């Protein structure tokens, strides 16, 4: 067995807030990859990237993971292959929901964690900066990230991508920790690694970004990852140059797999392509069985509930990571309501094609399909025209949260309508009167004193007759208001009036009659997870409203 060789330290940046910093050209530390996001759409990191970097003459691998909530899967992939994790928190923003999610990923990875407080150059006042620092670190304590100054073991460094402040200190701490860990790996034996991302490129086929953790990967080797397999046709380094082999702790791009694997899966080298194929096919059969069971379970759950509105969605992206981010968005939105369900009828890598549009046209007895495309080219005019004719919405964007907003708007437009009743006025019945409608027909009128609000008679109003404390005798929309002999449409508090109700004359002195206005309002999505917006059947006026009326 070969001796273990020193391994490059692999460290991941888990972005806890979407920050964009610009470094001056004379800052030479490549460590600034941690806090510099240049050229990303929307000012946020949206792809998992791997780089070979040099820190103070030492080789290291840097994994830059996205910060948006939709990219949880990518952060997990980055953490799986890492030795050290740098949790990036903007000192001004402090702990946000995204911080909590990134911290959980970091803790679950088991890696040594550092905290980088960024944008410190924006706080010029020493007292303000110290207050913001303590606030951020106190918030991190709540998610079990305890800084050394609070009695924990997490090292914290204040850094600025604009001035370079703190970068040297961060580099020194990272390298010192790496030395203490005595990281070793063997170049002997078959390759083992983790998939960071994957996509299909026209003319080149499936391209898999991976980080090798053990052994050596060579061109011509047979590999298997989940249900994908193949013979390595080419290996590209992080600069895009073709290489013959790669050793441990090396980020590479592999060509030659038969299909796209999922991010975060382990990739291993095997003795032959036929062996790899058998392993992949067996895994595929197990996955198909699991998927069928899950679909059946969901179908039974839907049947047991009231029929929700189902919105068919087709997902398109430039990579596996992009598709996973879109799925994360659809899952999150689906959890916000029980009235609308997002049903993914198709997902694939690449631009929107006529086949995608044909699939969207097959949708019947539900809202038109929506096609979401992340980081892909805009569809041609032929596809767009056909989509418009068939009411199919196609939305492509390079910023993930804008696609989330598009889908959210689609869901809002299909939310069911609820009837809301608002109490507008109340009157006490003083006496009952009768008058002739015809020589043979009498009608009773309740003489009332309006004590609050306004009693109105319109097509959007109805009346409730209340006897005693809370016994409702009737709810009626057919009514007639009178002031003396005149028919009126409203009577304000402080005045007396007469009211006759259609099909009900059993009103007695002492009864209370309430006037309500009803309106149909579209339900809203849940604002926060597990907190649903509901409408009360009756909304009573406040005392201030009554006085103003």
């Amino acid at each position: 067995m070969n001796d273990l060789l020193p391994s490059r330290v692999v460290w991941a940046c888990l972005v806890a807030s979407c920050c964009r910093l610009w470094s001056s050209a004379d800052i030479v530390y490549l460590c600034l990859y941690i806090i510099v996001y240049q050229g990303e759409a929307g000012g946020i990191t949206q792809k998992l990237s791997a780089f070979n970097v040099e820190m103070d003459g030492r080789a290291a691998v840097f994994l830059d993971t996205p910060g948006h909530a939709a990219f949880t899967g990518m952060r997990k992939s980055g953490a799986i292959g890492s030795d050290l994790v740098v949790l990036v928190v903007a000192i001004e923003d402090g702990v946000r929901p995204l911080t909590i999610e990134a911290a959980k990923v970091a803790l679950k990875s088991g890696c040594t964690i550092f905290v980088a407080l960024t944008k410190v150059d924006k706080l010029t006042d020493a007292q303000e900066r110290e207050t913001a620092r303590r606030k951020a670190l106190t918030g991190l304590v709540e998610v079990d990230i305890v800084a050394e100054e609070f009695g924990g073991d997490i090292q914290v460094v204040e850094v600025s991508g604009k001035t370079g402040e703190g970068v040297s200190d961060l580099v020194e701490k990272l390298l010192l920790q790496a030395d203490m860990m005595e990281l070793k790996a063997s170049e002997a034996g078959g390759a083992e690694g983790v998939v960071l991302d994957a996509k299909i490129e026209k003319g080149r086929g499936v391209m898999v970004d991976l980080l090798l953790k053990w052994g050596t990967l060579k061109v011509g080797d047979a590999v298997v990852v989940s249900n994908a397999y193949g013979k390595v046709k080419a290996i590209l380094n992080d600069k895009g140059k073709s290489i013959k082999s790669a050793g441990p702790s090396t980020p590479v791009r592999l060509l030659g797999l038969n299909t796209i694997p999922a991010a975060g899966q382990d990739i291993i080298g095997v003795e032959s392509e036929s062996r790899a194929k058998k392993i992949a096919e067996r895994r595929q059969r197990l996955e198909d069985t699991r998927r069928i069971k899950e679909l059946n379970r969901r179908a039974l759950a839907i049947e047991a509930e009231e029929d929700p509105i189902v919105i068919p969605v087709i997902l398109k992206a430039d990579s596996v990571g992009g598709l996973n981010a879109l799925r994360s968005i659809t899952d999150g939105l689906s959890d916000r309501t029980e009235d609308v369900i997002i049903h993914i009828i198709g997902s694939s890598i690449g631009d929107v094609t006529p086949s995608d549009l044909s699939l969207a046209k097959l949708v019947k007895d539900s809202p038109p399909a929506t096609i979401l495309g992340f980081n892909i080219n805009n569809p041609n005019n032929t596809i767009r025209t056909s989509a418009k004719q068939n009411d199919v919405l196609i939305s492509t964007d390079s910023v993930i949260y804008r696609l989330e907003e598009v889908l959210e708007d689609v869901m809002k437009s299909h939310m069911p309508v609820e009837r809301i009743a608002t109490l507008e006025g109340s009157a006490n019945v003083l006496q009952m009167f009768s008058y002739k409608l015809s020589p043979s027909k009498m009608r009773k009128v309740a003489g009332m004193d309006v004590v609050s609000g306004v009693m109105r008679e319109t097509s959007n109003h109805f009346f409730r007759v209340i006897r005693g404390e809370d016994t409702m005798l009737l709810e009626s929309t057919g009514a007639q208001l009178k002031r003396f002999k005149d028919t009126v449409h409203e009577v304000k508090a402080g005045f007396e009036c007469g009211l006759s109700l259609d099909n009900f004359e059993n009103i007695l002195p002492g009864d209370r009659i309430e006037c309500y206005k009803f309106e149909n309002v579209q339900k809203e999505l849940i604002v926060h997870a597990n907190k649903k917006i509901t409408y009360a059947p009756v909304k009573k006026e406040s005392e201030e409203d009554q006085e103003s009326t």
Side-chain angles (χ1 to χ4, degrees):
M1 178 176 176
N2 289 8
D3 293 335
L4 296 181
L5 302 175
S7 172
R8 296 183 180 91
V9 56
V10 180
W11 42 292
C13 161
L14 297 183
V15 185
S17 57
C18 297
C19 52
R20 184 182 181 91
L21 301 175
W22 299 92
S23 65
S24 55
D26 58 343
I27 297 177
V28 297
Y29 290 108
L30 294 180
C31 170
L32 276 176
Y33 275 116
I34 301 177
I35 50 178
V36 180
Y37 308 102
Q38 301 189 37
E40 290 281 8
I44 60 174
T45 303
Q46 300 192 113
K47 292 184 178 181
L48 192 154
S49 303
F51 310 92
N52 272 316
V53 299
E54 185 176 307
M55 299 189 301
D56 287 351
R58 303 272 298 278
V61 177
F62 167 70
L63 304 179
D64 178 16
T65 69
H68 192 276
F71 296 99
T72 301
M74 286 192 186
R75 277 190 290 278
K76 289 179 180 178
S77 299
I80 287 172
S82 305
D83 301 307
L84 306 177
V85 170
V86 180
L87 185 65
V88 180
V89 182
I91 193 169
E92 288 182 308
D93 300 334
V95 175
R96 290 186 169 187
L98 204 60
T99 317
I100 297 172
E101 184 271 326
K104 289 180 179 178
V105 173
L107 290 168
K108 193 173 181 179
S109 71
C111 300
T112 301
I113 301 173
F114 292 80
V115 172
L117 296 177
T118 64
K119 296 186 178 181
V120 295
D121 57 280
K122 299 182 71 174
L123 302 178
T124 54
D125 181 74
Q127 183 62 40
E128 181 185 10
R129 179 164 165 176
E130 179 60 25
T131 301
R133 172 191 172 91
R134 295 195 67 83
K135 182 180 179 181
L137 297 184
T138 301
L140 288 174
V141 171
E142 297 179 5
V143 289
D144 296 327
I145 303 291
V146 184
E148 288 180 332
E149 60 197 78
F150 287 178
D153 58 358
I154 305 297
Q155 298 186 59
V156 180
V157 183
E158 296 181 7
V159 295
S160 168
K162 185 175 181 179
T163 65
E165 177 186 351
V167 174
S168 298
D169 187 26
L170 179 58
V171 171
E172 182 181 347
K173 290 180 182 295
L174 289 169
L175 293 178
L176 179 60
Q177 182 63 36
D179 289 338
M180 294 173 61
M181 295 169 68
E182 297 183 349
L183 301 171
K184 304 285 184 179
S186 174
E187 294 181 336
E192 296 181 16
V194 60
V195 174
L196 303 178
D197 203 355
K199 63 179 181 178
I200 295 179
E201 189 171 300
K202 189 175 295 184
R204 305 184 81 174
V206 177
M207 306 178 68
V208 181
D209 294 336
L210 61 96
L211 177 69
L212 290 172
K213 298 191 294 183
W214 196 269
T216 301
L217 180 68
K218 301 185 293 294
V219 173
D221 284 352
V223 294
V224 61
V225 48
S226 186
N227 60 341
Y229 71 95
K231 182 178 288 188
V232 179
K233 295 179 180 179
I235 302 174
L236 308 178
N237 63 15
D238 60 317
K239 305 297 189 298
K241 295 182 179 180
S242 180
I243 57 178
K244 297 295 183 181
S245 63
S249 301
T250 305
V252 296
R253 175 166 290 177
L254 178 151
L255 283 70
L257 293 187
N258 68 320
T259 189
I260 298 176
Q265 297 289 331
D266 289 331
I267 183 168
I268 59 173
V270 294
E271 59 270 21
S272 66
E273 188 174 5
S274 60
R275 172 65 176 162
K277 182 178 180 180
K278 287 181 180 179
I279 296 173
E281 289 177 344
R282 180 176 179 276
R283 290 176 175 176
Q284 183 63 58
R285 287 193 297 270
L286 293 173
E287 174 63 21
D288 291 343
T289 301
R290 186 200 62 79
R291 188 176 301 171
I292 291 172
K293 288 181 179 179
E294 177 63 18
L295 289 174
N296 290 338
R297 185 192 65 79
R298 290 188 179 183
L300 291 173
I302 292 174
E303 288 176 4
E305 301 173 355
E306 295 182 3
D307 292 338
I309 298 172
V310 179
I311 299 177
V313 175
I314 297 174
L315 306 179
K316 304 288 292 186
D318 64 335
S319 67
V320 170
L323 279 180
N324 289 339
L326 288 177
R327 289 193 186 97
S328 177
I329 284 175
T330 58
D331 290 344
L333 289 176
S334 292
D335 290 340
R336 291 169 62 179
T337 179
E338 297 174 353
D339 300 301
V340 178
I341 291 177
I342 299 174
H343 177 47
I344 300 176
I345 60 175
S347 63
S348 59
I349 292 175
D351 297 333
V352 178
T353 65
S355 297
D356 297 319
L357 195 56
S358 298
L359 178 60
K361 293 177 184 178
L362 293 175
V363 174
K364 305 293 182 184
D365 302 323
S366 68
T370 298
I371 301 177
L372 297 179
F374 176 56
N375 260 343
I376 62 173
N377 297 316
N378 289 325
N380 58 44
N381 291 333
T382 302
I383 292 178
R384 284 203 172 275
T385 301
S386 179
K388 188 175 182 180
Q389 292 172 348
N390 290 274
D391 295 324
V392 175
L393 172 64
I394 300 178
S395 180
T396 60
D397 209 307
S398 59
V399 180
I400 195 72
Y401 62 78
R402 289 205 285 255
L403 292 173
E404 183 178 18
E405 291 170 355
V406 168
L407 188 54
E408 185 174 332
D409 289 341
V410 172
M411 293 181 67
K412 287 178 179 178
S413 67
H414 292 291
M415 290 293 288
V417 173
E418 286 189 333
R419 173 174 165 169
I420 300 178
T422 306
L423 177 64
E424 290 200 335
S426 178
N428 293 329
V429 178
L430 304 176
Q431 191 174 349
M432 295 301 298
F433 302 92
S434 297
Y435 72 95
K436 283 187 177 181
L437 286 176
S438 66
S440 61
K441 189 174 182 179
M442 300 292 290
R443 181 156 189 174
K444 290 186 176 182
V445 178
M448 308 183 304
D449 176 26
V450 182
V451 295
S452 66
V454 181
M455 304 294 283
R456 289 190 174 94
E457 188 278 307
T458 71
S459 59
N460 291 330
H461 286 78
F462 66 91
F463 297 89
R464 286 177 179 171
V465 180
I466 311 295
R467 183 163 295 167
E469 289 296 325
D470 55 4
T471 303
M472 187 179 72
L473 302 181
L474 175 75
E475 185 173 293
S476 173
T477 56
Q480 189 177 51
L481 274 175
K482 283 185 175 292
R483 279 276 295 163
F484 301 106
K485 293 183 179 180
D486 298 327
T487 299
V488 295
H489 292 294
E490 70 174 44
V491 180
K492 296 180 180 180
F495 293 90
E496 294 181 353
C497 64
L499 174 70
S500 61
L501 299 176
D502 294 348
N503 304 320
F504 186 76
E505 296 185 344
N506 187 27
I507 303 176
L508 300 176
D511 289 345
R512 186 174 78 256
I513 297 180
E514 296 177 340
C515 176
Y516 293 87
K517 178 182 179 181
F518 68 83
E519 54 185 333
N520 293 325
V521 178
Q522 198 167 39
K523 291 179 68 175
E524 297 182 24
L525 290 174
I526 301 172
V527 176
H528 300 292
N530 302 321
K531 182 180 179 183
K532 189 175 182 180
I533 296 178
T534 57
Y535 292 100
V538 174
K539 183 179 72 176
K540 295 192 176 183
E541 285 188 318
S542 64
E543 293 181 1
E544 293 180 359
D545 292 336
Q546 293 176 8
E547 292 174 0
S548 64
T549 304

